[in-house]
Amino acid sequence: METKRQYEVVFIVDPAVEEDEVTRLTDTLKQIATDQGGVVTKTESLGRRPLAYEILRKTEGNFVLLEIEGSGKEIAELERRMRVNDRIIRYITVRVDEDRRRAEKFKAKRARKAEKKPGGQSAASRTSAPPEFPAADETEDAA
């Protein structure tokens, strides 16, 4: 039984490559992932950014983020293709489904804890002024 896992793939494209070429490269990688049985849930071009350190004598690159849902074999194929592509200077893949599940669990736990607190106020009611202090215009009328 194959389980669906969520991955984030970020890759950096050589800054000498034109923007339309980056788009074509992204579409090609998305097609590879879907051909292997994965589902691309999000594609985001982060644009041209400076690199943290020099890579192959380059100081900037075009960053692209792909969120892919699949079994893992499509990630192996994507990484293989990115490794041999000269236009991609770096890439990283991170499995995020366990982290997101853990974050949702903590969020639900915090919400339950907030409801149990004395007063059980919601965040919206905590930001308003307490009722025992009159508004500024009410104090002027009393004087």
Side-chain angles (χ1 to χ4, degrees):
M1 180 177 95
E2 291 184 11
T3 59
K4 292 288 184 182
R5 297 177 177 154
Q6 293 177 335
Y7 299 91
E8 283 186 354
V9 180
V10 177
F11 59 94
I12 306 171
V13 182
D14 189 339
V17 174
E18 296 295 324
E19 194 65 34
D20 59 334
E21 182 70 20
V22 173
T23 306
R24 277 199 301 273
L25 182 61
T26 303
D27 291 339
T28 303
L29 293 174
K30 284 170 40 178
Q31 187 62 42
I32 291 167
T34 54
D35 289 347
Q36 294 291 322
V39 177
V40 178
T41 56
K42 180 180 176 182
T43 304
E44 187 174 343
S45 177
L46 303 173
R48 189 182 209 117
R49 294 173 175 242
L51 300 175
Y53 53 90
E54 193 173 286
I55 303 172
L56 301 173
R57 298 188 179 139
K58 312 255 188 291
T59 57
E60 17 178 70
N62 291 313
F63 286 67
V64 180
L65 166 74
L66 297 176
E67 284 190 14
I68 300 171
E69 193 173 295
S71 63
K73 64 180 181 177
E74 57 279 328
I75 299 302
E77 179 63 19
L78 266 180
E79 287 184 348
R80 185 187 74 77
R81 298 277 182 105
M82 287 190 285
R83 195 175 306 119
V84 299
N85 193 327
D86 293 337
R87 295 171 293 190
I88 297 177
I89 57 178
R90 280 287 193 275
Y91 65 88
I92 187 168
T93 304
V94 180
R95 183 175 163 193
V96 294
D97 56 327
E98 291 176 347
D99 293 335
R100 287 182 180 168
R101 202 173 318 125
R102 193 174 304 121
E104 288 296 321
K105 190 175 178 182
F106 283 131
K107 188 177 178 182
K109 186 177 179 181
R110 259 186 259 120
R112 284 194 308 271
K113 206 175 208 182
E115 289 174 3
K116 289 182 181 179
K117 281 187 177 181
Q121 294 178 336
S122 67
S125 63
R126 275 185 261 144
T127 58
S128 63
E132 63 267 3
F133 297 113
D137 57 343
E138 291 175 9
T139 57
E140 292 172 5
D141 293 339

